[in-house]
Structure formats: C-alpha cells, structure tokens
Amino acid sequence: MIATKQLRMTVYASLLAALTAAGAYLTIPIGPVPIVLQSLFIFLSGLLLGSRWGVASVGVYLLAGALGLPVFAGGVGGIGRFAGPTGGYLLGFLPAVYVIGLITEKTRKRVVFDVFAMVCGSIIIYSCGVSWLKILTGMTLTKTMVVGMYPFILGDALKIAAAVPIAKALRPVINP
Amino acid sequence: MAELSAFNFRPGSSVLHGLDVRFKLIFLVLISFTSLKAYTVALSVLTLVLVTALMHSGLSLKSILKTFRYVVVLLAFIFVTRALSTPGSVVVEFKAISITREGIYYGVMICWRLVIVILTGLSFVLTTRPSEIKAAVEWALNPFPFIPAKRIATMMSLMVRFLPVIIDQAKETADAQRARGIENRKNPVYRLGKLGIPLMRRTFERADKLAVAMEARCYSENRTDPVLSSGIMDWIALCGVVCLCLVIISA
C-alpha cells in the first residue's frame, strides 16, 4: 500500500510540475500587468501534494528549467535564469511551496487556512524575489517593490481566489 | 483524440535521432546558455541551424509555426514591457507613454532568445524517447550524493510526457464546451471557471489512470534503462556545437 501511495504521488507531482511549466505560457490579459499562471500551480502543488511532494514537484520543475527545457516564463531558459533578475522568485518557489504544504498538513482543510497558507507563500516568494532584485540592481527598497511587487499583487489575489475552488474540487480525486 | 501535438516524440532516423542523449542534453544546456550572449547575427545563425534541424527530423515549417501560436501572447507582452520601460532615444511619444529605440531593440532580442530556447527544447523533446531522457538525467545526477537520481529522472520524463497530455485535454475540453454553446456566455470568470476545473479534474484522472497502469505493470525504481552509447558522430557534433557557442560568446 505504501508503494502504491508513493507511486501515485510521484505521478501527481510530475503532473503538477508539467502544469506549472504549461502555466508559465498561459497569460490572462486583465489589467495593466497580465497574469501569468505559473504561481497558481505552485500554490496548488503545496495545497494538493503537501510539503514533501510539493517540494519534489517544484524541484523537478526548476531542474528542468536549469537544464534548458523551455519551462520558465519570459526571457531565457537555462541555469543563467537563476542568476538573472527573476531568479529570486524562482528560488523562492521552493520554501513557499514547503510552507504552504506544511500549513495545510497541520491544519484542517478549510478555506480560511488555505488562503492563509497561500498568503504566507506569496510573502515568501516576494521577499526572496524582491531582495534578490534589490541586490542585483542596487535600487532602493521602495523602488524595487514598485517594480517587482506592487503590479503583481492584484493578480496574486485573483490566483489565490482561483486556487481555493480548484483545490476543493481536486482533493477528492487525489485522496479518495 | 486530438491531433498529434508538436511536443510528442516522433520516431525517425535523422541525425538528431541518432545522437546520444547525453550529448543532446549537453547541447541543450550549452545553447540555452549562449543565447544569453547572442545578438542579431548569432541569433539568425542559431535560428537557421535549429529550424533546419527540426525540419530534417520530420517537423514541417507549418507545425513549427503552429506551436508558436501558444507563445505569441507572452512574447507580445514581454516586447511591450521592454519597449516601454527601457530609457533611450524616443521614437514615439504619447502622453506619459514613450517608446524608445533601445526598448524596441532589447524587446526584439529578448523575444528572439526565448524563441531560440523553445526551438532547442522542441528539437530535444521531438527526437528523444522519454525513457532515454530518464536515463540521461539519471546519468547526470549520479555523481551527486543524497539525491534520489532514479526518482528524479522518472519524474522528469513523466513531466515531459504530461505536457502533450495537458494540451490535448485543454483542446478537448474547449471543444466540448464550444459544442454546448459556451460562446453565448460573455462573463470571463464564468467561462474560465467552467473550463479550468473540469480540465484540472480530467488531467488528474488521466494521471491516476497512468499510475494504475504503471502499478499493473509492476513498476519499480530498479529497472533496466536503455543503454547509452556514444559514437564518433556524437563527438563531431559536440565539437561543432562547442565551436559555434565559443564563436557566439567571443563575438
């Protein structure tokens, strides 16, 4: 039974990594900054798979990107991407998904906790992304936040709102 | 079943099919890394080489262009943000918005580099069996201790395999909804909700079926991988790619 469960989680984690890769290319043109769906699937990895498998899923996604498969949104692929201006956000996905998974594991599967977990996750992604952007470009903290955080907050709120019903619909499929 | 998408492996006997996977993996890393440093001339050469390689391995120009249909929105967005946000000599000015010459130049360069990376990835996925990708990733991760190389390699090849499944399922769901008159609903939130949730549920059900099928075939991590062997052709190709990359970086 343990082996079965592990195999299923392996397959699901790979599927979520593939969805994240597909999400990097899906843009919804609403408002001044279009919403890229990549981080929606990062949130979902944490919510659906839990901390351990969530990290595995995101890790595989990042590794595929590092090898040069075209799975990152915008710009160029490959290892160079981690040193680029958006590298902090990419590396921030790993602790974020771990924390989201941890919070959903420790609490009951309620909407309030899901939203709380995703808000924590976004804060981690932004703190990694913005601090790396600040180090790299040498801008002041306020200016970095204007460039690298404020335009995306509306999109993130919409993604969190979208992740709640999706997680609710998919949990029965994953844990029958 | 929808038509075969360009992200699937296609059997064939071209040069790219014949090369060793490990070398192809190295080429992938090298080319995506050099594209960072490439400008107009180098990018044109790379595009030419890659499109020729793709067409040689059995993909028509039409289906290459069709694949890029999905990326166009993203490319346009990147181009516009670059064009607007880079300072330089102004070409067009409209109220607070100004488009600069440098902005247009960098926008085109970045979009072109992204196209190169996608073309490289496409030619890799197109000519390599998922089991070979798994074997190559395993080979690359083996020197590192504390990393479950076999599991990561399996997950990687599964991920590559799932990409066409997702695209396929998205098309199928969209067709089913068009047949039921979803176009009459103008509310985008309603439409996305009715598309997204069934799409996610169906892809997960397909993943579930895959897990059952793997289990039914007694899947375990200790299995015999395809034998990787390199020949003289691989070393010639490696020399060629390394020379190309060196020329591009030094230029």
Side-chain angles (χ1 to χ4, degrees):
Chain A
M1 271 319 279
I2 294 168
T4 311
K5 170 102 179 137
Q6 211 172 34
L7 177 60
R8 279 168 54 102
M9 289 316 266
T10 313
V11 173
Y12 287 144
S14 321
L15 174 61
L16 271 163
L19 281 169
T20 315
Y25 288 102
L26 291 177
T27 43
I28 304 175
I30 302 177
V33 181
I35 302 167
V36 180
L37 286 183
Q38 193 181 22
S39 54
L40 169 66
F41 292 109
I42 299 284
F43 293 155
L44 282 175
S45 313
L47 288 182
L48 296 171
L49 301 172
S51 54
R52 239 184 100 228
W53 285 104
V55 168
S57 166
V58 177
V60 165
Y61 167 71
L62 292 179
L63 183 68
L67 284 176
L69 288 171
V71 294
F72 293 150
V76 283
I79 302 172
R81 198 55 203 280
F82 290 99
T86 55
Y89 297 96
L90 292 175
L91 287 178
F93 285 159
L94 273 178
V97 82
Y98 183 77
V99 167
I100 294 174
L102 206 64
I103 293 175
T104 38
E105 275 165 6
K106 296 280 178 221
T107 57
R108 259 176 245 132
K109 314 264 186 275
R110 286 265 199 63
V111 173
V112 189
F113 294 123
D114 283 358
V115 171
F116 173 67
M118 285 188 280
V119 170
C120 289
S122 329
I123 291 171
I124 293 171
I125 294 176
Y126 283 124
S127 50
C128 290
V130 169
S131 47
W132 178 240
L133 195 65
K134 186 175 179 300
I135 293 168
L136 210 66
T137 55
M139 290 188 286
T140 57
L141 187 62
T142 11
K143 192 154 179 245
T144 324
M145 275 160 84
V146 168
V147 177
M149 185 171 158
Y150 295 143
F152 304 105
I153 286 180
L154 176 69
D156 267 3
L158 287 175
K159 277 181 228 166
I160 290 175
V164 170
I166 296 176
K168 207 177 159 207
L170 287 179
R171 272 191 184 130
V173 183
I174 290 197
N175 306 308
Chain B
M1 276 294 152
E3 87 234 64
L4 208 61
S5 87
F7 292 100
N8 278 315
F9 166 72
R10 291 188 184 191
S13 56
S14 69
V15 179
L16 274 180
H17 281 90
L19 290 178
D20 186 0
V21 205
R22 290 169 293 179
F23 284 82
K24 280 194 267 187
L25 204 62
I26 295 169
F27 298 163
L28 193 66
V29 175
L30 279 178
I31 293 180
S32 62
F33 206 69
T34 5
S35 69
L36 279 172
K37 293 264 173 218
Y39 290 96
T40 324
V41 182
L43 284 172
S44 327
V45 173
L46 272 177
T47 319
L48 207 66
V49 169
L50 285 168
V51 171
T52 324
L54 273 173
M55 284 167 73
H56 178 63
S57 51
L59 200 68
S60 64
L61 198 60
K62 203 177 135 204
S63 52
I64 297 177
L65 290 176
K66 234 170 117 186
T67 313
F68 277 92
R69 199 176 46 183
Y70 302 109
V71 198
V72 167
V73 180
L74 186 73
L75 287 180
F77 165 59
I78 294 168
F79 176 72
V80 168
T81 45
R82 283 287 151 166
L84 294 180
S85 64
T86 315
S89 58
V90 177
V91 181
V92 184
E93 195 154 22
F94 179 72
K95 286 180 186 166
I97 303 166
S98 59
I99 300 170
T100 60
R101 190 186 302 271
E102 283 80 0
I104 293 175
Y105 177 70
Y106 283 116
V108 169
M109 283 301 129
I110 283 175
C111 289
W112 204 347
R113 280 175 202 154
L114 182 62
V115 168
I116 295 280
V117 172
I118 294 171
L119 280 177
T120 324
L122 199 62
S123 49
F124 179 71
V125 173
L126 194 72
T127 59
T128 317
R129 281 177 202 284
S131 62
E132 289 177 330
I133 297 181
K134 175 179 172 288
V137 171
E138 212 180 300
W139 171 83
L141 288 179
N142 250 342
F144 301 100
F146 309 119
I147 288 183
K150 275 183 190 286
R151 181 168 307 157
I152 290 177
T154 312
M155 287 178 73
M156 197 92 141
S157 66
L158 275 176
M159 176 186 152
V160 173
R161 190 198 167 282
F162 272 130
L163 279 174
V165 172
I166 295 169
I167 294 171
D168 201 46
Q169 196 69 74
K171 263 188 215 149
E172 232 174 85
T173 314
D175 282 348
Q177 294 190 324
R178 214 167 297 129
R180 286 162 182 78
I182 190 90
E183 250 108 61
N184 293 334
R185 296 279 193 156
K186 294 282 178 256
N187 184 354
V189 176
Y190 176 87
R191 285 173 64 157
L192 282 174
K194 289 287 180 223
L195 179 71
I197 290 180
L199 174 62
M200 293 288 288
R201 227 193 48 234
R202 281 164 151 218
T203 40
F204 270 86
E205 276 162 9
R206 270 174 89 157
D208 212 31
K209 279 184 196 160
L210 183 77
V212 171
M214 281 166 82
E215 207 191 334
R217 287 158 181 78
C218 299
Y219 169 81
S220 85
E221 276 174 9
N222 299 315
R223 55 175 288 226
T224 324
D225 290 316
V227 182
L228 301 173
S229 62
S230 54
I232 184 89
M233 267 307 285
D234 296 315
W235 291 102
I236 295 173
L238 182 64
C239 287
V241 172
V242 168
C243 289
L244 185 69
C245 292
L246 283 179
V247 168
I248 289 171
I249 289 177
S250 59

